[in-house]
Amino acid sequence: MDNVANEGQETMFQFRLMTVADIPDVMEIEHEAFTLPWTEEAFHNELKHNHFAKYMVMELDGTAIGYAGMWTIMDEAHITNIAVRKAYQGRKLGEKLLDELMKTAAYLGMERMTLEVRVSNVVAQNLYQKKGFESAGLRKGYYSDNGEDAMIMWAVLPPAGRSGEEEGSVMDS
């Protein structure tokens, strides 16, 4: 568990594996965060059928306020989504989600991590750069809602300990 200051008081939040029961909350977050949200069916498929998929939920006082996902293939992790409820944005919680996702990927043996981000999303690009991601090119017309290009970014992950004692880390089940 981690602490976060919330209007002068300490509030507890934690990370855990996403389950099918989380999909309604995740859909709310998805629609708040993205102009091109995933469908419920997509999340069902990810959780039930994609053995490369790893998704986590960030809870604040027992309520889902964010989630993140990745695919782990060979020694590479591909971030699929990171999102925080609109009411909690601007509190560096997306950064905490990214930290947890990177830590989990390293724990699972991933050596590198990649993602796509809208070229117009400078805030996200700055966060990714802060965490060691570097631009590696563009995917032209990647986003189907407006044809916007996606910047491809890569980071090398630091090796993680294998003791299983990383507090708050989501372990592979």
Side-chain angles (χ1 to χ4, degrees):
M1 282 204 213
D2 287 299
N3 294 333
V4 65
N6 185 14
E7 298 174 12
Q9 63 187 21
E10 290 270 320
T11 307
M12 300 303 289
F13 71 96
Q14 64 182 4
F15 301 95
R16 63 172 176 76
L17 290 173
M18 184 187 296
T19 67
V20 170
D22 293 313
I23 292 176
D25 287 334
V26 167
M27 289 307 302
E28 287 180 18
I29 298 166
E30 184 77 1
H31 282 273
E32 288 180 15
F34 299 113
T35 58
L36 195 60
W38 281 21
T39 64
E40 281 189 45
E41 181 181 3
F43 283 105
H44 276 278
N45 287 334
E46 287 291 281
L47 295 176
K48 293 179 181 177
H49 305 295
N50 184 350
H51 64 278
F52 299 112
K54 310 284 186 241
Y55 285 82
M56 67 178 66
V57 170
M58 178 171 38
E59 288 185 334
L60 180 65
D61 298 329
T63 301
I65 63 162
Y67 78 95
M70 64 182 163
W71 297 330
T72 55
I73 304 169
M74 303 293 286
D75 63 353
E76 296 176 357
H78 183 124
I79 296 175
T80 57
N81 329 57
I82 295 180
V84 175
R85 285 191 187 273
K86 205 174 268 313
Y88 293 93
Q89 291 175 2
R91 299 182 190 185
K92 299 191 182 276
L93 297 180
E95 182 174 347
K96 289 191 177 294
L97 263 170
L98 179 58
D99 286 342
E100 192 67 20
L101 202 61
M102 292 175 78
K103 186 172 26 173
T104 301
Y107 175 82
L108 295 173
M110 303 298 108
E111 296 175 7
R112 289 172 297 285
M113 185 171 257
T114 187
L115 57 86
E116 292 91 10
V117 59
R118 288 180 185 266
V119 293
S120 64
N121 192 346
V122 177
V123 171
Q125 290 171 34
N126 288 338
L127 169 60
Y128 299 137
Q129 288 169 353
K130 176 180 175 183
K131 295 301 177 180
F133 285 83
E134 296 179 357
S135 177
L138 294 178
R139 295 196 195 281
K140 295 287 187 185
Y142 183 78
Y143 293 98
S144 61
D145 62 335
N146 64 0
E148 185 174 358
D149 297 343
M151 179 185 294
I152 305 163
M153 300 184 85
W154 283 90
V156 174
L157 295 171
R162 301 278 179 222
S163 67
E165 296 176 2
E166 288 86 0
E167 184 180 355
S169 292
V170 176
M171 304 298 176
D172 194 15
S173 53

